[in-house]
Amino acid sequence: MTSNMDSTTNTQQSTETKAALPGGATRAIGRWAASITNSSLPSHVAHHGRRMIVDYLAASVAGSTNPLSQRLREFLAENEPGTRATAIRGASMTASAAAYTNGVAAHGLELDDGYTPGSVHPGAAVIPAVLAVAEATRASIDDAARAVAVAVEVTSRIAAAGHPAVLNAGFHNTGVTGVFGAAAGVVNLLGGNEQQYCDALGLAGSHAGALREYHTAASEVKRLHAGKAARDGVMCGEMAMAGISGPDTVLEGPNGYFSAFARGDWNPDVLLGGLGEDWVCTRTYIKPYPCCRHLHGPIDAALALRETGQFDIDDVESVEVSTFEIATRLRRAPASTLLEAQFSIPFAVAAALRLGSVTLDSFRPECIADARVQQLAARVTIDADANATAAYPHERPATVTVTARDGRTFAHHVSQPLGEPGNPIDDDALSAKFESLVFPIMGESLGSQMLNAAWRGNDITEITAALGA
């Protein structure tokens, strides 16, 4: 955690940065976002926008099978029917309701993207908002990909600027920062000006909210946070375009976001440094495993150890996981529910070692209850490593050490889990993830139509028509 001295320094930097910028930090973001068009967007950023749409579609179609997603979809179909946008595998709804439904689905199975420096899942919070409004206005996929890039950039920068202070204050970054990005993405899609961006951000500040108390009871309210951010982002963006105003100091002001949610402990250089030149949105990660990102390093290390074939799983005496401090909090064992398992390092490591893979099947009730997995999970210990803690959030290091009953030890270290920018999943592997998740649910024909449109098409209906099937 940042010291009081560091907090004071950051607050002073915030004041200095605000003084150096015409109108302050919020207006600087609005001015930058208003300048982004298809012609000004770098090609690699536009491509990354497409990548994020592909990954979002994979996660949300899979997540639409989650019972919570199904119940919410039915509830909103009855209470907010409409014709503007499509709920995944459901009826047409209002744009805000569709964004809510699809955001919850995208976050429903822990398969969605993230940005490590901000400990945030931007895609699930912003892409449903952008695609819902794109469908309602018949925008092109190129326009949607551009708006997604802007939305993820805003979300990621705000999240990283206040991390870990916001998390340590008890808030879920995805919910409290995603609404800003979603609102900005909607305004970008609708061709807004600087003032309309500032109004949208100002409105979003009063819609930011998400508590991390879900960890205490392993509550699935966590899934709702991404959907709430997407829904409120649609409302804030469209209200701003309609002339409803919000404070243009909502981020940096004395009673603004960073004062309230980060207790004044934030870094303005992370928020604004290189804005327009250094696109941090291109450094989001893709998840290969359906669980909390903090579990991925230990899973990679455990799988690597298993693949050596140097020990028999039945002869494992103990397993030690050394990682960064925040990750060590995820030590719940035994895990008995889906959410508990998705946030349990002991379960994830035991499943990787025992089963040889970590997929959606690994989190089915019968797998979670598997006595062999549970017995191995009980022998997993977790400790905080000072070097790993210092490296986070720039890295997510983990070392797994297996001790056999005969005293032999086997260790493997991972600096960055698979899917991070430094250990990337390429386009072909991303398409394979999509196919593995979507084809079993929607069929190969519709799934291929959606995938091809997301990569190469430009008619939004090629995506939305398949989504509602």
Side-chain angles (χ1 to χ4, degrees):
M1 183 179 293
T2 308
S3 68
N4 289 335
M5 182 176 295
D6 288 339
S7 177
T8 301
T9 300
N10 283 344
T11 302
Q12 291 171 346
Q13 288 175 336
S14 172
T15 302
E16 292 167 0
T17 298
K18 180 184 175 184
L21 290 164
T26 306
R27 188 155 288 277
I29 290 175
R31 187 180 309 112
W32 161 78
S35 73
I36 303 303
T37 63
N38 286 352
S39 60
S40 70
L41 191 70
S43 59
H44 74 285
V45 179
H47 179 73
H48 192 75
R50 295 256 181 176
R51 277 175 59 88
M52 294 199 72
I53 291 173
V54 170
D55 194 47
Y56 156 77
L57 292 170
S60 56
V61 170
S64 70
T65 64
N66 184 312
L68 174 65
S69 298
Q70 295 172 343
R71 289 193 295 272
L72 181 67
R73 187 164 64 240
E74 293 166 359
F75 172 81
L76 291 175
E78 179 179 350
N79 289 276
E80 292 194 43
T83 59
R84 296 192 75 207
T86 303
I88 295 171
R89 300 176 64 240
S92 293
M93 301 178 179
T94 64
S96 58
Y100 196 178
T101 303
N102 296 341
V104 172
H107 202 45
L109 290 175
E110 297 296 325
L111 282 160
D112 47 321
D113 62 70
Y115 180 63
T116 289
S119 190
V120 65
H121 297 280
V126 308
I127 300 177
V130 169
L131 291 188
V133 176
E135 180 180 4
T137 61
R138 293 298 180 96
S140 70
I141 299 176
D142 279 345
D143 290 343
R146 180 199 68 233
V148 164
V150 169
V152 173
E153 187 77 8
V154 170
T155 300
S156 299
R157 283 177 174 269
I158 293 174
H163 186 62
V166 173
L167 180 144
N168 288 332
F171 299 107
H172 184 198
N173 281 327
T174 298
V176 297
T177 65
V179 64
F180 291 102
V186 168
V187 173
N188 182 271
L189 190 70
L190 297 176
N193 59 35
E194 177 183 327
Q195 185 58 52
Q196 289 163 327
Y197 276 103
C198 291
D199 286 336
L201 294 172
L203 292 167
S206 288
H207 289 76
L211 297 173
R212 296 183 72 250
E213 185 60 19
Y214 58 80
H215 271 302
T216 301
S219 170
E220 287 211 311
V221 71
K222 174 186 189 289
R223 322 288 195 191
L224 299 181
H225 292 171
K228 178 187 180 301
R231 177 199 66 188
D232 291 349
V234 170
M235 296 295 295
C236 291
E238 292 191 330
M239 286 192 296
M241 295 298 291
I244 299 174
S245 64
D248 66 358
T249 55
V250 69
L251 295 175
E252 74 277 17
N255 295 297
Y257 172 81
F258 288 113
S259 177
F261 286 88
R263 309 295 193 263
D265 182 5
W266 66 288
N267 189 331
D269 291 331
V270 172
L271 179 67
L272 298 173
L275 185 64
E277 298 176 359
D278 179 17
W279 286 81
V280 304
C281 70
T282 62
R283 297 197 285 277
T284 53
Y285 62 73
I286 292 170
K287 279 187 175 183
Y289 316 118
C291 54
C292 175
R293 188 60 170 167
H294 293 330
L295 277 57
H296 286 220
I299 290 172
D300 283 343
L303 290 174
L305 284 171
R306 190 183 194 277
E307 288 170 6
T308 66
Q310 293 178 298
F311 56 90
D312 190 305
I313 303 301
D314 291 325
D315 290 334
V316 172
E317 177 69 26
S318 63
V319 182
E320 180 184 359
V321 179
S322 295
T323 187
F324 48 97
E325 190 277 328
I326 287 177
T328 66
R329 304 174 193 180
L330 305 179
R331 59 176 71 243
R332 187 188 295 267
S336 59
T337 68
L338 171 64
L339 198 67
E340 287 178 351
Q342 288 176 316
F343 285 81
S344 168
I345 288 178
F347 174 83
V349 168
L353 288 172
R354 173 61 68 182
L355 306 175
S357 64
V358 178
T359 66
L360 284 176
D361 286 341
S362 310
F363 293 91
R364 296 189 185 282
E366 59 271 23
C367 240
I368 295 173
D370 188 319
R372 300 174 307 157
V373 174
Q374 292 284 9
Q375 289 165 7
L376 185 55
R379 298 198 289 274
V380 177
T381 59
I382 307 169
D383 65 78
D385 177 81
N387 291 331
T389 300
Y392 179 79
H394 302 292
E395 294 182 356
R396 292 178 185 260
T399 301
V400 173
T401 303
V402 171
T403 300
R405 287 197 172 94
D406 61 8
R408 292 178 301 154
T409 61
F410 310 88
H412 189 86
H413 176 76
V414 170
S415 296
Q416 290 283 28
L418 179 62
E420 290 287 337
N423 188 13
I425 288 175
D426 63 18
D427 289 354
D428 288 341
L430 178 54
S431 290
K433 174 184 175 179
F434 178 99
E435 292 169 1
S436 70
L437 294 171
V438 175
F439 285 10
I441 296 170
M442 300 189 70
E444 184 173 349
S445 178
L446 280 177
S448 294
Q449 172 188 324
M450 194 189 308
L451 181 61
N452 290 333
W455 278 128
R456 291 173 287 276
N458 210 26
D459 183 349
I460 197 72
T461 62
E462 294 183 65
I463 291 176
T464 56
L467 279 180

